[in-house]
Amino acid sequence: MMADMNLWEQLLYYFSENGFYIWSQFFRHFLISIYGVLFAAIVGIPLGFWISRHGKLADWVIGAANVIQTIPSLAMLSILMLGLGLGVNTVISTVFLYSLLPIIKNTYAGVQSVDKNILDSGKGMGMTRWQLTYMVELPLALSIIMAGIRNAMVVGIGVTAIGTFIGAGGLGDIITRGVNVTDGGAIILAGAIPTALMAVISDLLLGWIEKKLDPTKNKKILS
């Protein structure tokens, strides 16, 4: 039946016949991506603060994260698969590793950008190191940290798409199915378009949050 339709008619027909399947894979894809980025944020943000206190170690930690970033995605999946096996956990771990660099780097840059005079004022008021971190450095650096999370999320969505090769599911399954059949262009688009939309919407949403958290853009001008 689809053979008698043009590409866009085939795409609409595929969506109408497989809407629930596409939605379930979209949701699965999103969860894999966000879990990987969330775990990276839990590790990367404290690590970024820590290396900002130990400047000599910053180059080593960021360098190690850079090395991870240079490993091709399929190679990373293959390496982790040896220890974690097939499935979702391996893909989440891969997203986690690829998300570390932007989160650590942006956290470090955000903390380093905090005006030292503000920190000195806090110390003069008797604030402890924890209070300075939680009440001064974190709020002022949060927009830059969010920019790192934003970059990590977009990268994570792309990495998750190849998780189909190790049985993790997601929208990559639909793309692969289209590649493996004759005249599967509509099926490929049925997987590729939601993947692209997920990346664009995530980028826009996190970009909006990033702007809202930017202290330089939220100053109230007193008249």
Side-chain angles (χ1 to χ4, degrees):
M1 183 175 178
M2 287 181 65
D4 299 326
M5 305 175 184
N6 63 40
L7 180 63
W8 297 109
E9 288 174 337
Q10 290 177 6
L11 179 61
L12 290 174
Y13 178 78
Y14 188 84
F15 270 113
S16 66
E17 291 294 313
N18 300 279
F20 179 78
Y21 171 68
I22 294 170
W23 169 247
S24 64
Q25 293 303 319
F26 181 95
F27 190 62
R28 183 182 183 88
H29 193 119
F30 179 73
L31 283 180
I32 292 171
S33 304
I34 203 166
Y35 275 131
V37 174
L38 179 62
F39 291 143
I42 291 171
V43 173
I45 293 174
L47 191 55
F49 273 90
W50 184 71
I51 62 175
S52 71
R53 311 269 192 266
H54 305 82
K56 293 181 180 179
L57 295 175
D59 289 340
W60 288 94
V61 173
I62 294 174
N66 266 315
V67 170
I68 293 172
Q69 203 81 4
T70 62
I71 301 173
S73 304
L74 280 174
M76 181 67 78
L77 282 172
S78 300
I79 293 168
L80 293 178
M81 187 176 64
L82 298 175
L84 298 174
L86 300 173
V88 172
N89 290 339
T90 300
V91 182
I92 291 176
S93 299
T94 303
V95 174
F96 164 80
L97 290 173
Y98 279 112
S99 300
L100 284 175
L101 177 62
I103 293 175
I104 293 172
K105 198 170 183 179
N106 277 51
T107 301
Y108 175 73
V111 176
Q112 291 295 104
S113 70
V114 175
D115 191 336
K116 303 304 178 187
N117 292 324
I118 298 176
L119 295 176
D120 289 338
S121 297
K123 291 175 183 176
M125 294 169 61
M127 296 177 72
T128 64
R129 168 56 69 183
W130 168 248
Q131 288 173 324
L132 285 171
T133 299
Y134 179 71
M135 300 175 66
V136 179
E137 290 177 316
L138 182 58
L140 292 176
L142 200 52
S143 66
I144 300 176
I145 296 171
M146 184 56 66
I149 294 174
R150 176 185 175 187
N151 292 337
M153 188 65 190
V154 173
V155 170
I157 290 169
V159 171
T160 301
I162 65 171
T164 181
F165 294 114
I166 60 168
L171 292 167
D173 272 12
I174 301 174
I175 297 171
T176 304
R177 181 175 297 185
V179 171
N180 291 332
V181 301
T182 306
D183 297 326
I187 302 176
I188 294 172
L189 288 176
I193 290 174
T195 303
L197 284 174
M198 187 190 304
V200 170
I201 293 170
S202 298
D203 185 59
L204 291 174
L205 179 60
L206 292 174
W208 178 79
I209 295 173
E210 177 189 338
K211 289 180 181 177
K212 288 293 182 182
L213 294 174
D214 188 347
T216 64
K217 295 181 180 178
N218 289 314
K219 289 181 178 178
K220 295 182 179 179
I221 300 175
L222 300 176
S223 55

